[in-house]
Structures are given as C-alpha cells and as structure tokens.
Amino acid sequence: MAKADEESITYSALSPEQRRRYDLLLAGLDLLDQAIAVFDATPKLVTWNKALLRLLDFPESMVRVGTPFEDFVRFNAERGEYGQGDIDTLIRERVAAARSFQPHYVERARPNGRILAVRGVPIPNLGFVSLWTDITEQRRYEGVMEQQNVRLEERVRERTAELEAANKRLARANIEIDDIAEALRRSENRLQLIIDSIPALIAYVDRGEIYRFANKGYADWFGLGKDEIIGRSIHEVFGEDSYTQIVPHLARALDGERVTYEYARRLADGRTVHARSVVVPEADADGTTVGFFVLSIDITEQKAHQAALIQAQKMEAVGQLTGGLAHDFNNLLTIIIGNLSVLNERIGGGAGSEYVAPSLQAARRGAELIRRLLTFSRRQSLEPTSVEVSALVHNMTHLLVRTLGETVRVRLRLPSDPLYALVNPHQLENAILNLAINARDAMPEGGELTITVKRRTLEGTLAQVGELAPGAYVQIDVSDTGAGIEPAVLQRVFEPFFTTKPFGGGSGLGLSMVYGFVRQSGGNIRIRSTPGAGTHVRFVLPTAEATPAENRKAAEPPAAQPVLDGPVLLVEDEPEVRKVIRMQLTANGYPVIEASNGVEALELLENIDDIALLVSDTVMPGGIGGRELAQRARALRPGLPILLVTGYASERAITGVAPADVPTLRKPFDQATLAAALANLLAPQPAPTAPQPEHGQTCP
C-alpha cells in the first residue's frame, strides 16, 4: 500500500501504537482480493492496494500518488477496455461521471475475459473511493447453475421414464435401477451445491414447524450451521420477538395459503436486520398441508435506503411547508409590527405603553424566530464571512431552549471579547443545532448541554496531527451529560448514513454534514465520549478580522430621506398589509396611490405619468406578479425606481425574473427599515465600473 507524501508527515507524528495500527490497516487492505483506490476531489490518486495492479493490469510506473484519474481512463480507453468508440469521448464521459461524485455500480467485461464489478462511493467534500471485484467465477457459476438446472430436469425426466419401464421388468432390471439411484444421488448432491451457492435463503419446515432442510445462506442468516438448524423449531431459531411477528402468517400458510411477509430481528451486536419471505405450503393427496417451503431474501440494505429516502423527503416537505407558512406569518407579522410601531410612537410613554412595548418586542422576536427557522431549511453553498461567534451562539439561545425542551438545561461559556471566525453563519448555526439535537437524544431523561467558545492557537505537531495550518482558531465545544457513545460506534459517527437510531429515526447524515462543513471551512472536529458519562464534541474554525462594513455601519449617520417628484405606487393584495405599508410610506413623507394587484397597477402606470416610485408585493393574484410587473414597468419607464417586498423564505418560492437592479425587501419590516431600503434605492448610482447588485438582493 502506497502512502501520500502529505501523509508521511502526519505518520511521523503518530505514536508507535498508532503507527502499528496504521501499518496493520494498510497491510490488511493489501490482503484483500478486491482492488481499492482512493481519489481526492481533483480527482487524483491518493492511495491503493496491490490488487489494483493485479486485477486491472496497470503499469507500476503509472500507479503512484497524484496520478490523475483521467490518466487511468485514457490508458483503459486506448487498450480497448471500454469497447469501440471515439477515445476522447469515452474519456470525457467517465471523467465527468467521476467529477459528479455520485455513488455508482457497473459491471465491465475486460478484453481478457474477466468480469469486474466496479463500485464508486463518494467521500463528502474530499473525493471518492473505487472498488473493483472480480466476479468472473460468480457469473460462470450462475451460468453453470442454469445449465445444471436444465440438465437436471432433463435427467429426472429420463430416469423417471426408465424407472416406469423398469417396474414392468423388475426381475431383470435390478442393475439398471441401482445405476439410476446412483445418478439421482449425484444429481441431488449437485443440486444441493447449487442451492447453497445462490444468494437466497431456502428452507423446508414440516407441519409441526420443525426444520427439515435449510441451505447454507438460511443457516448463516441465523448464525447457525446447516446441521445445527435441522430438527429445531421455528420458535427456537427465530427467538420470541421475531417469532411473534410471523405467527399470523404461518397460521395462514397452514390453511394452504401462499403468504409473503417481512420481519426484523436483532443481532447480538445490536444491529437490526430485515428479510422478506415467501412461504409456499406443500399438501398431500388429501389436500392437507404437510409442510412449508420458505424462500427469503435479505432486504436490510434496501430498508436502509428507503429510510434515508423517506427522511430526505420529510426534510424536503418540511422545507416546502416552512417556506409557504413563512409567507403568511410574515404578512401577519408585518401587520402586527407595523400597527404596534405606529401605536407605540403615538402614545409614547403614556397610558398603555406597558402593554404595547412587550407586544412589539414579542412580535419582533417572532419574526426573528421564523428567520432562524428558515435558515435551517435552506440548502446553500458555503459563503464564508467574518462572523462574531459568541454573538451567534448567544442569539441561538431561544431556539435551542425551545428545541431541546424543558428537561435539558443549556449553559453558555462565552468570552468577554468578541471572537471572529471565517465561516458561513447559517452553516455554523445548523452545525450547532445538529450537535444540540444529538445531545438531546442522548439525554432522554434530561441533563445539561454546555457550549463553550474560546480562542485557540495550534502550532507544530498538534497542528499537523489535526491536519491544520499552524495559527489562531476559534474553538467551539459542545458537551452533554448523556448516555455517551460506545467505542465501536464512536469510530463510525462521521460515516455518511451511519446511525444508531431505529429505521426512520434519522438519516445518518447529521454528523457527516457537520464534519464536511467544518473541514470545508478549514477547520477540524473531534469527538470524545465515555459510555454513561456524556459526549464532548470539539471543533475549530479559522479566525477572521471584523469586517470594515460592520464598523462603518455603526459610525455612519442615517441617510437623509430622498424627495420624490411624484407619488409612490403601492401594490399589495392583502388590504391590512397594504394599509401598514401605506402608513409607513406616508410617515416617511411619500405621497401614495394604491393598487390591489398587478393588473390595476399596470393600468395606473399607463395612465399616470408622474408616478415616481413603484413598491410592489412579489406574489399576487390576477395573473401579474411583482416580478412581471417590474419588467413591464421598466418597459414603459426605463428609469423608474422599483422596490419589491416578499414574505417568502427564499427566491426559489418566487416565480418570474425581475430586472437585475430591482432589490427585494423581506417581510416583516418596520418604518425605519423601509426608509433605509428606499434611501438606498434612490441614492445616486455608483460609477458604471462599480459592481452591480445581484439578482434578488435583499435590502438591509
């Protein structure tokens, strides 16, 4: 097994015991009959085992660390491994498939007659692993099995005919009968070999539910030998829990009905396996059931994929439902916040202010809660920025308390000075929430969750072992007082789709997504756990400086409100929302005319020449939404300033395409936010060389 140059540095930093384990792992991989190759995200070869050279006949000079995946594909294409066709086309197709990092399985017949099964498994954010298995003999055995079945049936027919004729000539056919019996014994042995070789679980059970036959696969499924299972009862072999699941089906089979069912059983190591069985009754001449033929297949992997798919569908449904509800809630909060803000200004500190101020604060907290809830339902690429980590963790407190429940106490240990990390804030929130939920599940009776943030400097050997560049980092610790994790499980917690939860209880992607996010952000993550004493997750992220934009934002005075030469056209289909926005516009000194939908607004634009500004909701009834209205308004008046407002969670929920310089303001907003958005919109435009606003830009 070869090692990458980068690994050699880490290898030298390992302890003797760690080196011994590492060497044993590499030596073990070289003993496998299957060929293994690991490619990074480039993709280039990182490591392999000896079987790669033996099965694929690659030159030793080619198989080295850093060889591009494309070189292997080209070598195969040029020696005819992929059949006829344009070589460059064959190469492009396979390189493109590799770069997509999707799991795949194919079987390929080599020119030398060998058949290889090729399986590719992506490693999140790192690359992929390719596995080649020689299945030539397996396919040959399948062909032999099919031929032997046909030959066996033919021989049985022949021998049966001979036996019927021999019965009439019994006195002179003893030798022939003996020959036929011997042939039948040989056929039975051959059939037994075939039955043991096929990937199915086959058994025969008599009327008393006692096993009279089982192939090797069936016995292996229950951890028994073929001879051990014969003579035992179904109840004894299955165990109480599994037997209870299948009793009703056995009763139907005893009545002569062919039945199909699924069942699950728990292994000694704690894993749960699933099987699907078909039970076919055997009846005597009187129609009485004398036994059952049982054919079963292992569907554990299929169940795991189904559970992962269901989990993914649930998350997608939650995201869609959350986005739709956000629109309605944001409209409601716009009405509540807008009216409460006006009421609060009018009464000042007078009578009733003690009721208005808490209500306004609660409404704003609700808007913030919805915004945070939507953050975790979005799927977005990493866009790292300078994030004040202590403030982010502190602002998550309300969400964590509500998510974890009353039985879990949340403690924060935050530094007095701000600590900035270069990270995507939404992904960081999602990672902390994932870890908090895992901690909650480990404390079903309640406990304590502690989140600690501090500065950490990694140098020398410590940085090398952590596969990090030496320097300053922000360290985040998430610890709980829960049940802890067994050592065997702890080694696999970052594996995609690995979960100790029951089927449907989790996709097994939470910790792997946290791991991928931390590594992609330039940090690293470690987990320590003791069964019965809780779990401690620690990850570090690169530090960053406070962004100049934040400093300027605190120092700059509010901009003066621009003066318009004409009225503002306000377009909103919800009357109460329209009323609130109208009050906010008039309070800022803008004259307002209104329209309840895009059709009315377009008619006003066509007939009123002095409209100076268009403020429109994005999604409205009547066939013309805000984006289409913006397009048509620009066609009528190219220089008209336009501001869109929306209560939806993301741009994906909004159809249509608006002009590139039309910003979008998210509901709910107050009078000051609207004034700032309009001031930004109506401010003098930058020079043509300055960057233009992105499509769908959100105003402050």
Side-chain angles (χ1 to χ4, degrees), residues 162-192:
E162 292 174 4
L163 184 59
E164 291 175 352
N167 287 334
K168 299 177 183 179
R169 304 184 300 274
L170 184 61
R172 54 189 178 81
N174 287 333
I175 297 177
E176 185 179 352
I177 292 174
D178 290 341
D179 292 341
I180 294 174
E182 180 62 26
L184 287 174
R185 281 193 295 272
R186 290 196 302 268
S187 298
E188 182 180 356
N189 292 336
R190 192 177 297 113
L191 179 61
Q192 181 67 57

PDB file of all heavy atoms in Angstrom, residues 162-192:
ATOM      1  N   GLU A 162     -37.356 -44.240 -17.408  1.00  0.00           N
ATOM      2  CA  GLU A 162     -36.660 -45.520 -17.282  1.00  0.00           C
ATOM      3  C   GLU A 162     -37.182 -46.311 -16.086  1.00  0.00           C
ATOM      4  O   GLU A 162     -37.304 -47.545 -16.140  1.00  0.00           O
ATOM      5  CB  GLU A 162     -35.162 -45.268 -17.139  1.00  0.00           C
ATOM      6  CG  GLU A 162     -34.514 -44.721 -18.392  1.00  0.00           C
ATOM      7  CD  GLU A 162     -33.061 -44.361 -18.166  1.00  0.00           C
ATOM      8  OE1 GLU A 162     -32.586 -44.619 -17.035  1.00  0.00           O
ATOM      9  OE2 GLU A 162     -32.435 -43.848 -19.101  1.00  0.00           O
ATOM     10  N   LEU A 163     -37.469 -45.579 -14.978  1.00  0.00           N
ATOM     11  CA  LEU A 163     -37.968 -46.253 -13.779  1.00  0.00           C
ATOM     12  C   LEU A 163     -39.337 -46.876 -14.015  1.00  0.00           C
ATOM     13  O   LEU A 163     -39.611 -47.994 -13.555  1.00  0.00           O
ATOM     14  CB  LEU A 163     -38.024 -45.255 -12.623  1.00  0.00           C
ATOM     15  CG  LEU A 163     -38.425 -45.821 -11.262  1.00  0.00           C
ATOM     16  CD1 LEU A 163     -37.455 -46.909 -10.818  1.00  0.00           C
ATOM     17  CD2 LEU A 163     -38.489 -44.716 -10.225  1.00  0.00           C
ATOM     18  N   GLU A 164     -40.218 -46.157 -14.718  1.00  0.00           N
ATOM     19  CA  GLU A 164     -41.534 -46.724 -15.021  1.00  0.00           C
ATOM     20  C   GLU A 164     -41.420 -47.989 -15.870  1.00  0.00           C
ATOM     21  O   GLU A 164     -42.130 -48.981 -15.659  1.00  0.00           O
ATOM     22  CB  GLU A 164     -42.379 -45.673 -15.743  1.00  0.00           C
ATOM     23  CG  GLU A 164     -42.777 -44.505 -14.862  1.00  0.00           C
ATOM     24  CD  GLU A 164     -43.512 -43.439 -15.632  1.00  0.00           C
ATOM     25  OE1 GLU A 164     -43.566 -43.562 -16.885  1.00  0.00           O
ATOM     26  OE2 GLU A 164     -44.033 -42.499 -14.991  1.00  0.00           O
ATOM     27  N   ALA A 165     -40.511 -47.935 -16.855  1.00  0.00           N
ATOM     28  CA  ALA A 165     -40.303 -49.138 -17.678  1.00  0.00           C
ATOM     29  C   ALA A 165     -39.666 -50.256 -16.865  1.00  0.00           C
ATOM     30  O   ALA A 165     -39.971 -51.452 -17.049  1.00  0.00           O
ATOM     31  CB  ALA A 165     -39.434 -48.788 -18.881  1.00  0.00           C
ATOM     32  N   ALA A 166     -38.766 -49.861 -15.935  1.00  0.00           N
ATOM     33  CA  ALA A 166     -38.072 -50.874 -15.142  1.00  0.00           C
ATOM     34  C   ALA A 166     -39.005 -51.590 -14.184  1.00  0.00           C
ATOM     35  O   ALA A 166     -38.753 -52.750 -13.818  1.00  0.00           O
ATOM     36  CB  ALA A 166     -36.933 -50.223 -14.382  1.00  0.00           C
ATOM     37  N   ASN A 167     -40.067 -50.878 -13.718  1.00  0.00           N
ATOM     38  CA  ASN A 167     -41.023 -51.529 -12.814  1.00  0.00           C
ATOM     39  C   ASN A 167     -41.681 -52.749 -13.473  1.00  0.00           C
ATOM     40  O   ASN A 167     -42.045 -53.705 -12.784  1.00  0.00           O
ATOM     41  CB  ASN A 167     -42.081 -50.521 -12.373  1.00  0.00           C
ATOM     42  CG  ASN A 167     -41.505 -49.523 -11.378  1.00  0.00           C
ATOM     43  OD1 ASN A 167     -40.542 -49.837 -10.674  1.00  0.00           O
ATOM     44  ND2 ASN A 167     -42.089 -48.328 -11.333  1.00  0.00           N
ATOM     45  N   LYS A 168     -41.876 -52.670 -14.787  1.00  0.00           N
ATOM     46  CA  LYS A 168     -42.505 -53.790 -15.509  1.00  0.00           C
ATOM     47  C   LYS A 168     -41.509 -54.924 -15.726  1.00  0.00           C
ATOM     48  O   LYS A 168     -41.883 -56.051 -16.001  1.00  0.00           O
ATOM     49  CB  LYS A 168     -43.031 -53.295 -16.848  1.00  0.00           C
ATOM     50  CG  LYS A 168     -44.097 -52.215 -16.718  1.00  0.00           C
ATOM     51  CD  LYS A 168     -44.531 -51.713 -18.084  1.00  0.00           C
ATOM     52  CE  LYS A 168     -45.547 -50.589 -17.956  1.00  0.00           C
ATOM     53  NZ  LYS A 168     -45.974 -50.071 -19.278  1.00  0.00           N
ATOM     54  N   ARG A 169     -40.234 -54.547 -15.659  1.00  0.00           N
ATOM     55  CA  ARG A 169     -39.205 -55.569 -15.893  1.00  0.00           C
ATOM     56  C   ARG A 169     -38.328 -55.678 -14.662  1.00  0.00           C
ATOM     57  O   ARG A 169     -37.118 -55.770 -14.740  1.00  0.00           O
ATOM     58  CB  ARG A 169     -38.349 -55.182 -17.088  1.00  0.00           C
ATOM     59  CG  ARG A 169     -39.144 -54.949 -18.381  1.00  0.00           C
ATOM     60  CD  ARG A 169     -38.233 -54.665 -19.554  1.00  0.00           C
ATOM     61  NE  ARG A 169     -37.404 -53.488 -19.347  1.00  0.00           N
ATOM     62  CZ  ARG A 169     -37.815 -52.239 -19.628  1.00  0.00           C
ATOM     63  NH1 ARG A 169     -39.025 -52.023 -20.130  1.00  0.00           N
ATOM     64  NH2 ARG A 169     -37.001 -51.214 -19.406  1.00  0.00           N
ATOM     65  N   LEU A 170     -38.960 -55.631 -13.468  1.00  0.00           N
ATOM     66  CA  LEU A 170     -38.250 -55.568 -12.206  1.00  0.00           C
ATOM     67  C   LEU A 170     -37.270 -56.733 -12.025  1.00  0.00           C
ATOM     68  O   LEU A 170     -36.168 -56.538 -11.519  1.00  0.00           O
ATOM     69  CB  LEU A 170     -39.264 -55.540 -11.054  1.00  0.00           C
ATOM     70  CG  LEU A 170     -38.692 -55.382  -9.653  1.00  0.00           C
ATOM     71  CD1 LEU A 170     -37.938 -54.080  -9.539  1.00  0.00           C
ATOM     72  CD2 LEU A 170     -39.810 -55.454  -8.620  1.00  0.00           C
ATOM     73  N   ALA A 171     -37.670 -57.893 -12.462  1.00  0.00           N
ATOM     74  CA  ALA A 171     -36.827 -59.077 -12.235  1.00  0.00           C
ATOM     75  C   ALA A 171     -35.501 -58.977 -12.974  1.00  0.00           C
ATOM     76  O   ALA A 171     -34.487 -59.497 -12.520  1.00  0.00           O
ATOM     77  CB  ALA A 171     -37.576 -60.341 -12.667  1.00  0.00           C
ATOM     78  N   ARG A 172     -35.518 -58.320 -14.131  1.00  0.00           N
ATOM     79  CA  ARG A 172     -34.300 -58.258 -14.922  1.00  0.00           C
ATOM     80  C   ARG A 172     -33.720 -56.838 -14.987  1.00  0.00           C
ATOM     81  O   ARG A 172     -32.898 -56.551 -15.845  1.00  0.00           O
ATOM     82  CB  ARG A 172     -34.580 -58.755 -16.335  1.00  0.00           C
ATOM     83  CG  ARG A 172     -35.724 -58.072 -17.033  1.00  0.00           C
ATOM     84  CD  ARG A 172     -36.070 -58.795 -18.349  1.00  0.00           C
ATOM     85  NE  ARG A 172     -37.204 -58.187 -19.026  1.00  0.00           N
ATOM     86  CZ  ARG A 172     -37.145 -57.119 -19.788  1.00  0.00           C
ATOM     87  NH1 ARG A 172     -35.976 -56.545 -19.987  1.00  0.00           N
ATOM     88  NH2 ARG A 172     -38.229 -56.635 -20.362  1.00  0.00           N
ATOM     89  N   ALA A 173     -34.167 -55.925 -14.078  1.00  0.00           N
ATOM     90  CA  ALA A 173     -33.707 -54.532 -14.157  1.00  0.00           C
ATOM     91  C   ALA A 173     -33.057 -54.044 -12.873  1.00  0.00           C
ATOM     92  O   ALA A 173     -32.917 -52.846 -12.654  1.00  0.00           O
ATOM     93  CB  ALA A 173     -34.877 -53.620 -14.504  1.00  0.00           C
ATOM     94  N   ASN A 174     -32.643 -54.991 -11.968  1.00  0.00           N
ATOM     95  CA  ASN A 174     -32.067 -54.558 -10.685  1.00  0.00           C
ATOM     96  C   ASN A 174     -30.795 -53.722 -10.875  1.00  0.00           C
ATOM     97  O   ASN A 174     -30.583 -52.715 -10.197  1.00  0.00           O
ATOM     98  CB  ASN A 174     -31.763 -55.789  -9.821  1.00  0.00           C
ATOM     99  CG  ASN A 174     -33.041 -56.408  -9.287  1.00  0.00           C
ATOM    100  OD1 ASN A 174     -34.042 -55.726  -9.124  1.00  0.00           O
ATOM    101  ND2 ASN A 174     -33.013 -57.713  -9.026  1.00  0.00           N
ATOM    102  N   ILE A 175     -29.957 -54.165 -11.815  1.00  0.00           N
ATOM    103  CA  ILE A 175     -28.710 -53.431 -12.034  1.00  0.00           C
ATOM    104  C   ILE A 175     -28.999 -52.025 -12.566  1.00  0.00           C
ATOM    105  O   ILE A 175     -28.392 -51.028 -12.137  1.00  0.00           O
ATOM    106  CB  ILE A 175     -27.808 -54.208 -13.006  1.00  0.00           C
ATOM    107  CG1 ILE A 175     -27.421 -55.565 -12.397  1.00  0.00           C
ATOM    108  CG2 ILE A 175     -26.568 -53.397 -13.356  1.00  0.00           C
ATOM    109  CD1 ILE A 175     -26.581 -56.435 -13.333  1.00  0.00           C
ATOM    110  N   GLU A 176     -29.972 -51.936 -13.504  1.00  0.00           N
ATOM    111  CA  GLU A 176     -30.322 -50.624 -14.062  1.00  0.00           C
ATOM    112  C   GLU A 176     -30.898 -49.700 -13.001  1.00  0.00           C
ATOM    113  O   GLU A 176     -30.602 -48.489 -12.979  1.00  0.00           O
ATOM    114  CB  GLU A 176     -31.320 -50.814 -15.203  1.00  0.00           C
ATOM    115  CG  GLU A 176     -31.662 -49.524 -15.928  1.00  0.00           C
ATOM    116  CD  GLU A 176     -32.634 -49.744 -17.080  1.00  0.00           C
ATOM    117  OE1 GLU A 176     -32.920 -50.911 -17.396  1.00  0.00           O
ATOM    118  OE2 GLU A 176     -33.097 -48.727 -17.638  1.00  0.00           O
ATOM    119  N   ILE A 177     -31.700 -50.272 -12.079  1.00  0.00           N
ATOM    120  CA  ILE A 177     -32.278 -49.449 -11.010  1.00  0.00           C
ATOM    121  C   ILE A 177     -31.186 -48.896 -10.102  1.00  0.00           C
ATOM    122  O   ILE A 177     -31.221 -47.738  -9.673  1.00  0.00           O
ATOM    123  CB  ILE A 177     -33.301 -50.276 -10.202  1.00  0.00           C
ATOM    124  CG1 ILE A 177     -34.523 -50.580 -11.063  1.00  0.00           C
ATOM    125  CG2 ILE A 177     -33.718 -49.536  -8.930  1.00  0.00           C
ATOM    126  CD1 ILE A 177     -35.514 -51.500 -10.397  1.00  0.00           C
ATOM    127  N   ASP A 178     -30.191 -49.747  -9.805  1.00  0.00           N
ATOM    128  CA  ASP A 178     -29.088 -49.278  -8.968  1.00  0.00           C
ATOM    129  C   ASP A 178     -28.338 -48.125  -9.640  1.00  0.00           C
ATOM    130  O   ASP A 178     -27.924 -47.164  -8.979  1.00  0.00           O
ATOM    131  CB  ASP A 178     -28.135 -50.437  -8.685  1.00  0.00           C
ATOM    132  CG  ASP A 178     -28.748 -51.479  -7.752  1.00  0.00           C
ATOM    133  OD1 ASP A 178     -29.728 -51.130  -7.065  1.00  0.00           O
ATOM    134  OD2 ASP A 178     -28.253 -52.614  -7.735  1.00  0.00           O
ATOM    135  N   ASP A 179     -28.142 -48.253 -10.959  1.00  0.00           N
ATOM    136  CA  ASP A 179     -27.458 -47.172 -11.680  1.00  0.00           C
ATOM    137  C   ASP A 179     -28.253 -45.868 -11.620  1.00  0.00           C
ATOM    138  O   ASP A 179     -27.684 -44.780 -11.459  1.00  0.00           O
ATOM    139  CB  ASP A 179     -27.233 -47.584 -13.132  1.00  0.00           C
ATOM    140  CG  ASP A 179     -26.218 -48.708 -13.258  1.00  0.00           C
ATOM    141  OD1 ASP A 179     -25.443 -48.897 -12.296  1.00  0.00           O
ATOM    142  OD2 ASP A 179     -26.210 -49.376 -14.310  1.00  0.00           O
ATOM    143  N   ILE A 180     -29.561 -46.005 -11.783  1.00  0.00           N
ATOM    144  CA  ILE A 180     -30.401 -44.799 -11.735  1.00  0.00           C
ATOM    145  C   ILE A 180     -30.352 -44.159 -10.345  1.00  0.00           C
ATOM    146  O   ILE A 180     -30.273 -42.932 -10.198  1.00  0.00           O
ATOM    147  CB  ILE A 180     -31.846 -45.141 -12.121  1.00  0.00           C
ATOM    148  CG1 ILE A 180     -31.911 -45.571 -13.585  1.00  0.00           C
ATOM    149  CG2 ILE A 180     -32.774 -43.961 -11.866  1.00  0.00           C
ATOM    150  CD1 ILE A 180     -33.272 -46.071 -14.013  1.00  0.00           C
ATOM    151  N   ALA A 181     -30.397 -44.971  -9.310  1.00  0.00           N
ATOM    152  CA  ALA A 181     -30.348 -44.450  -7.943  1.00  0.00           C
ATOM    153  C   ALA A 181     -29.051 -43.683  -7.700  1.00  0.00           C
ATOM    154  O   ALA A 181     -29.040 -42.614  -7.076  1.00  0.00           O
ATOM    155  CB  ALA A 181     -30.507 -45.586  -6.940  1.00  0.00           C
ATOM    156  N   GLU A 182     -27.941 -44.247  -8.199  1.00  0.00           N
ATOM    157  CA  GLU A 182     -26.664 -43.569  -8.033  1.00  0.00           C
ATOM    158  C   GLU A 182     -26.638 -42.228  -8.763  1.00  0.00           C
ATOM    159  O   GLU A 182     -26.124 -41.226  -8.259  1.00  0.00           O
ATOM    160  CB  GLU A 182     -25.541 -44.465  -8.537  1.00  0.00           C
ATOM    161  CG  GLU A 182     -24.156 -43.873  -8.414  1.00  0.00           C
ATOM    162  CD  GLU A 182     -23.758 -43.582  -6.982  1.00  0.00           C
ATOM    163  OE1 GLU A 182     -24.285 -44.257  -6.057  1.00  0.00           O
ATOM    164  OE2 GLU A 182     -22.927 -42.660  -6.777  1.00  0.00           O
ATOM    165  N   ALA A 183     -27.222 -42.232  -9.977  1.00  0.00           N
ATOM    166  CA  ALA A 183     -27.279 -40.982 -10.737  1.00  0.00           C
ATOM    167  C   ALA A 183     -28.120 -39.938 -10.010  1.00  0.00           C
ATOM    168  O   ALA A 183     -27.792 -38.750  -9.989  1.00  0.00           O
ATOM    169  CB  ALA A 183     -27.845 -41.250 -12.129  1.00  0.00           C
ATOM    170  N   LEU A 184     -29.206 -40.390  -9.395  1.00  0.00           N
ATOM    171  CA  LEU A 184     -30.057 -39.458  -8.653  1.00  0.00           C
ATOM    172  C   LEU A 184     -29.323 -38.892  -7.429  1.00  0.00           C
ATOM    173  O   LEU A 184     -29.488 -37.724  -7.079  1.00  0.00           O
ATOM    174  CB  LEU A 184     -31.348 -40.157  -8.220  1.00  0.00           C
ATOM    175  CG  LEU A 184     -32.360 -40.434  -9.338  1.00  0.00           C
ATOM    176  CD1 LEU A 184     -33.513 -41.254  -8.807  1.00  0.00           C
ATOM    177  CD2 LEU A 184     -32.865 -39.128  -9.928  1.00  0.00           C
ATOM    178  N   ARG A 185     -28.537 -39.727  -6.790  1.00  0.00           N
ATOM    179  CA  ARG A 185     -27.771 -39.235  -5.644  1.00  0.00           C
ATOM    180  C   ARG A 185     -26.763 -38.174  -6.076  1.00  0.00           C
ATOM    181  O   ARG A 185     -26.572 -37.161  -5.401  1.00  0.00           O
ATOM    182  CB  ARG A 185     -27.069 -40.409  -4.949  1.00  0.00           C
ATOM    183  CG  ARG A 185     -27.976 -41.218  -4.035  1.00  0.00           C
ATOM    184  CD  ARG A 185     -27.169 -42.141  -3.152  1.00  0.00           C
ATOM    185  NE  ARG A 185     -26.468 -43.166  -3.927  1.00  0.00           N
ATOM    186  CZ  ARG A 185     -27.001 -44.348  -4.266  1.00  0.00           C
ATOM    187  NH1 ARG A 185     -28.245 -44.630  -3.888  1.00  0.00           N
ATOM    188  NH2 ARG A 185     -26.297 -45.216  -4.954  1.00  0.00           N
ATOM    189  N   ARG A 186     -26.117 -38.430  -7.215  1.00  0.00           N
ATOM    190  CA  ARG A 186     -25.179 -37.435  -7.721  1.00  0.00           C
ATOM    191  C   ARG A 186     -25.895 -36.136  -8.085  1.00  0.00           C
ATOM    192  O   ARG A 186     -25.408 -35.032  -7.808  1.00  0.00           O
ATOM    193  CB  ARG A 186     -24.434 -37.986  -8.945  1.00  0.00           C
ATOM    194  CG  ARG A 186     -23.449 -39.081  -8.625  1.00  0.00           C
ATOM    195  CD  ARG A 186     -22.482 -39.283  -9.788  1.00  0.00           C
ATOM    196  NE  ARG A 186     -23.184 -39.597 -11.017  1.00  0.00           N
ATOM    197  CZ  ARG A 186     -23.448 -40.845 -11.430  1.00  0.00           C
ATOM    198  NH1 ARG A 186     -23.079 -41.880 -10.673  1.00  0.00           N
ATOM    199  NH2 ARG A 186     -24.072 -41.049 -12.568  1.00  0.00           N
ATOM    200  N   SER A 187     -27.064 -36.269  -8.689  1.00  0.00           N
ATOM    201  CA  SER A 187     -27.838 -35.079  -9.052  1.00  0.00           C
ATOM    202  C   SER A 187     -28.270 -34.305  -7.816  1.00  0.00           C
ATOM    203  O   SER A 187     -28.264 -33.070  -7.793  1.00  0.00           O
ATOM    204  CB  SER A 187     -29.067 -35.479  -9.878  1.00  0.00           C
ATOM    205  OG  SER A 187     -28.682 -36.091 -11.085  1.00  0.00           O
ATOM    206  N   GLU A 188     -28.641 -35.040  -6.763  1.00  0.00           N
ATOM    207  CA  GLU A 188     -29.069 -34.380  -5.529  1.00  0.00           C
ATOM    208  C   GLU A 188     -27.915 -33.603  -4.908  1.00  0.00           C
ATOM    209  O   GLU A 188     -28.083 -32.474  -4.445  1.00  0.00           O
ATOM    210  CB  GLU A 188     -29.592 -35.417  -4.537  1.00  0.00           C
ATOM    211  CG  GLU A 188     -30.100 -34.798  -3.236  1.00  0.00           C
ATOM    212  CD  GLU A 188     -30.607 -35.847  -2.264  1.00  0.00           C
ATOM    213  OE1 GLU A 188     -30.629 -37.032  -2.629  1.00  0.00           O
ATOM    214  OE2 GLU A 188     -30.972 -35.466  -1.138  1.00  0.00           O
ATOM    215  N   ASN A 189     -26.731 -34.204  -4.911  1.00  0.00           N
ATOM    216  CA  ASN A 189     -25.562 -33.503  -4.369  1.00  0.00           C
ATOM    217  C   ASN A 189     -25.252 -32.244  -5.177  1.00  0.00           C
ATOM    218  O   ASN A 189     -24.889 -31.204  -4.628  1.00  0.00           O
ATOM    219  CB  ASN A 189     -24.360 -34.442  -4.366  1.00  0.00           C
ATOM    220  CG  ASN A 189     -24.513 -35.567  -3.368  1.00  0.00           C
ATOM    221  OD1 ASN A 189     -25.260 -35.448  -2.393  1.00  0.00           O
ATOM    222  ND2 ASN A 189     -23.822 -36.679  -3.604  1.00  0.00           N
ATOM    223  N   ARG A 190     -25.399 -32.398  -6.490  1.00  0.00           N
ATOM    224  CA  ARG A 190     -25.126 -31.251  -7.356  1.00  0.00           C
ATOM    225  C   ARG A 190     -26.161 -30.154  -7.116  1.00  0.00           C
ATOM    226  O   ARG A 190     -25.826 -28.964  -7.049  1.00  0.00           O
ATOM    227  CB  ARG A 190     -25.153 -31.707  -8.815  1.00  0.00           C
ATOM    228  CG  ARG A 190     -24.594 -30.684  -9.796  1.00  0.00           C
ATOM    229  CD  ARG A 190     -24.577 -31.220 -11.207  1.00  0.00           C
ATOM    230  NE  ARG A 190     -23.697 -32.374 -11.337  1.00  0.00           N
ATOM    231  CZ  ARG A 190     -24.118 -33.608 -11.604  1.00  0.00           C
ATOM    232  NH1 ARG A 190     -25.400 -33.833 -11.793  1.00  0.00           N
ATOM    233  NH2 ARG A 190     -23.269 -34.605 -11.697  1.00  0.00           N
ATOM    234  N   LEU A 191     -27.412 -30.548  -6.991  1.00  0.00           N
ATOM    235  CA  LEU A 191     -28.477 -29.579  -6.723  1.00  0.00           C
ATOM    236  C   LEU A 191     -28.257 -28.900  -5.368  1.00  0.00           C
ATOM    237  O   LEU A 191     -28.473 -27.701  -5.217  1.00  0.00           O
ATOM    238  CB  LEU A 191     -29.840 -30.269  -6.750  1.00  0.00           C
ATOM    239  CG  LEU A 191     -31.059 -29.376  -6.462  1.00  0.00           C
ATOM    240  CD1 LEU A 191     -31.170 -28.274  -7.495  1.00  0.00           C
ATOM    241  CD2 LEU A 191     -32.335 -30.214  -6.440  1.00  0.00           C
ATOM    242  N   GLN A 192     -27.810 -29.691  -4.379  1.00  0.00           N
ATOM    243  CA  GLN A 192     -27.540 -29.118  -3.064  1.00  0.00           C
ATOM    244  C   GLN A 192     -26.454 -28.055  -3.146  1.00  0.00           C
ATOM    245  O   GLN A 192     -26.546 -26.991  -2.532  1.00  0.00           O
ATOM    246  CB  GLN A 192     -27.114 -30.223  -2.098  1.00  0.00           C
ATOM    247  CG  GLN A 192     -26.835 -29.734  -0.686  1.00  0.00           C
ATOM    248  CD  GLN A 192     -28.079 -29.237   0.021  1.00  0.00           C
ATOM    249  OE1 GLN A 192     -29.053 -29.970   0.154  1.00  0.00           O
ATOM    250  NE2 GLN A 192     -28.073 -27.990   0.442  1.00  0.00           N
TER     251      GLN A 192
END
